[in-house]
Amino acid sequence: MLIGKVIGSVWATQKESGMENIKLLIVQPIDSKGHPLIAADRIGAGVGEQVLVTRGTPAHTVWGEQNAPIDAAIVGIVDSLEINE
Amino acid sequence: MLIGKVIGSVWATQKESGMENIKLLIVQPIDSKGHPLIAADRIGAGVGEQVLVTRGTPAHTVWGEQNAPIDAAIVGIVDSLEINE
Amino acid sequence: MLIGKVIGSVWATQKESGMENIKLLIVQPIDSKGHPLIAADRIGAGVGEQVLVTRGTPAHTVWGEQNAPIDAAIVGIVDSLEINE
Amino acid sequence: MLIGKVIGSVWATQKESGMENIKLLIVQPIDSKGHPLIAADRIGAGVGEQVLVTRGTPAHTVWGEQNAPIDAAIVGIVDSLEINE
Amino acid sequence: MLIGKVIGSVWATQKESGMENIKLLIVQPIDSKGHPLIAADRIGAGVGEQVLVTRGTPAHTVWGEQNAPIDAAIVGIVDSLEINE
């Protein structure tokens, strides 16, 4: 998984039917300058929050809707991180 | 998922049978200089439009045709983005 | 797989139900400056230890819980490495 | 998918049984300096040709042989590209 | 797939049960400076040899043991490469 900060939202009217009613958030991985990614969210994450994102088939499997075309999903809102380098 | 801009099209006559009748668009991810990718499209995206792309097995699964050899699909045409960094 | 060093932990209360009781560790791949990743652990790895991490669907499959939304898992604690470049 | 140029071939005698009779070509992605990849080919692509490559599980699934250990396959020979940046 | 050079081995006693008896080799992809990866081997590759590595679910599927937590496997020992850039 990766940790990222929610920095925004995306809206699309013309889309695959499986995308209906899926909230799409823009997430900036905390450890990289480029490449924000778009993740589906049903936990209720908001802009500015640190979130845990799962990608690939595991994200699609957990979402549980066969025709939901998602390859990234927010699976937790981070309470705290402890780093001891 | 990622967001990219449609910058062109690809045509191939000699191909896997599962590729028949699949429209292939060239998509430049909005946040990276290199590596445009090729995505299947059945939503009707056009050159210049911002699109939402799903990759890997979720893209193949959503396409719904077992022998369609695709690993990236356009799943939405972006209406708007809201970013609050 | 990749080898990384455990550098910390992550806690999240608001999360997918499948995430309950899963210990999440922050792992810094030994060969790259950026991009630490978050991996599920049930072997008992601790901060400072070198671990073997499996990613993607194989990690999800091995975890064995269909609705555990994980895409990276610690699958071993490294005893020793032998490198002959 | 990605587009690349076929720049060579690979031969291996000692291999997984599922690799028998699979033609392996070296493909240089057209948009990146490093990282050529090895792709299975059954379409008959030749050195110098531009090809369309599918990767990951979709490539394995389309190949249709359960024990063929491939994670990249050539799925088309490019006739033409049209780019309007 | 990718081609890499075997540069060493990894040992782990504390590990997922599915990892028992799996030989783990350190492989340096021939075309990139960083990021060696760890691949399972049952073909008998040795240090210094050039090998063909398959990654992701295809590697797990080919290995054939459902609970073997591997995401990379050596699937051939390279005899020869022919490159015509």
Side-chain angles (χ1 to χ4, degrees):
Chain A
M1 289 71 77
L2 67 80
I3 293 181
K5 187 178 149 194
V6 178
I7 61 169
S9 302
V10 186
W11 291 275
T13 327
Q14 231 177 316
K15 57 197 169 191
E16 286 281 341
S17 58
M19 268 302 192
E20 287 301 335
N21 309 317
I22 294 183
K23 183 180 153 200
L24 298 172
L25 296 179
I26 307 172
V27 178
Q28 174 69 55
I30 52 170
D31 269 283
S32 86
K33 305 295 158 299
H35 309 317
L37 58 94
I38 311 305
D41 171 56
R42 64 184 176 191
I43 292 180
V47 169
E49 290 194 297
Q50 275 200 344
V51 290
L52 197 61
V53 177
T54 288
R55 289 177 293 174
T57 301
H60 181 249
T61 305
V62 160
W63 199 262
E65 292 160 34
Q66 179 70 359
N67 73 340
I70 63 163
D71 64 16
I74 290 173
V75 295
I77 298 175
V78 174
D79 297 334
S80 62
L81 292 175
E82 194 185 280
I83 295 189
N84 313 280
E85 298 230 20
Chain B
M1 290 71 76
L2 66 81
I3 293 181
K5 187 177 149 195
V6 178
I7 61 169
S9 302
V10 187
W11 291 275
T13 327
Q14 232 176 315
K15 59 197 169 192
E16 286 281 341
S17 57
M19 267 302 191
E20 286 302 335
N21 309 317
I22 293 183
K23 183 180 153 201
L24 298 172
L25 296 178
I26 307 172
V27 178
Q28 173 70 54
I30 53 170
D31 270 284
S32 86
K33 305 297 158 296
H35 309 315
L37 58 96
I38 311 304
D41 172 57
R42 65 185 176 192
I43 292 181
V47 169
E49 290 195 294
Q50 276 200 344
V51 290
L52 197 62
V53 178
T54 288
R55 290 176 292 173
T57 302
H60 181 250
T61 305
V62 160
W63 200 262
E65 292 160 35
Q66 179 69 359
N67 72 341
I70 62 163
D71 64 15
I74 290 172
V75 295
I77 298 175
V78 175
D79 298 334
S80 62
L81 292 175
E82 194 186 280
I83 294 190
N84 314 278
E85 298 231 19
Chain C
M1 290 71 76
L2 67 80
I3 293 180
K5 186 178 151 196
V6 177
I7 61 169
S9 301
V10 186
W11 292 273
T13 328
Q14 233 177 316
K15 57 197 168 190
E16 286 282 338
S17 58
M19 268 302 191
E20 288 301 337
N21 309 316
I22 294 183
K23 184 181 153 200
L24 298 171
L25 297 179
I26 307 172
V27 178
Q28 175 69 54
I30 51 171
D31 269 284
S32 87
K33 305 295 159 298
H35 310 314
L37 59 95
I38 311 303
D41 171 57
R42 65 184 176 193
I43 292 182
V47 170
E49 290 193 296
Q50 274 200 346
V51 290
L52 196 62
V53 178
T54 287
R55 289 177 292 174
T57 302
H60 181 250
T61 305
V62 158
W63 200 262
E65 291 159 34
Q66 178 70 358
N67 72 340
I70 63 163
D71 64 16
I74 290 173
V75 295
I77 298 175
V78 174
D79 297 335
S80 61
L81 292 175
E82 194 185 280
I83 294 189
N84 313 281
E85 297 231 20
Chain D
M1 290 68 78
L2 67 80
I3 293 180
K5 187 178 149 195
V6 177
I7 60 169
S9 301
V10 187
W11 292 273
T13 327
Q14 231 176 316
K15 58 197 169 191
E16 286 281 340
S17 58
M19 268 304 192
E20 287 301 337
N21 309 317
I22 293 183
K23 183 181 153 200
L24 298 171
L25 296 178
I26 306 171
V27 178
Q28 173 69 54
I30 54 170
D31 268 285
S32 86
K33 304 295 159 298
H35 310 316
L37 59 95
I38 311 303
D41 172 57
R42 64 185 176 193
I43 293 182
V47 170
E49 291 194 295
Q50 277 200 343
V51 291
L52 195 62
V53 178
T54 288
R55 289 176 293 176
T57 302
H60 182 251
T61 304
V62 161
W63 200 263
E65 292 159 33
Q66 179 70 358
N67 73 340
I70 63 162
D71 64 16
I74 290 172
V75 296
I77 297 175
V78 176
D79 297 334
S80 60
L81 292 174
E82 194 186 281
I83 294 188
N84 314 281
E85 297 231 18
Chain E
M1 289 71 76
L2 67 80
I3 293 181
K5 187 178 149 196
V6 177
I7 61 168
S9 301
V10 186
W11 291 275
T13 328
Q14 231 177 317
K15 57 197 169 192
E16 285 282 339
S17 58
M19 268 302 192
E20 288 301 336
N21 310 316
I22 294 183
K23 183 181 152 200
L24 298 171
L25 297 178
I26 307 172
V27 179
Q28 174 69 54
I30 54 170
D31 268 283
S32 86
K33 305 297 158 295
H35 310 315
L37 59 96
I38 311 304
D41 172 58
R42 64 185 177 192
I43 293 182
V47 170
E49 290 194 294
Q50 276 200 343
V51 291
L52 196 62
V53 178
T54 287
R55 289 177 292 175
T57 303
H60 182 250
T61 305
V62 160
W63 200 261
E65 292 159 33
Q66 179 70 358
N67 72 340
I70 63 162
D71 64 17
I74 290 173
V75 295
I77 298 175
V78 176
D79 297 333
S80 61
L81 291 175
E82 194 186 279
I83 294 189
N84 314 280
E85 295 230 22

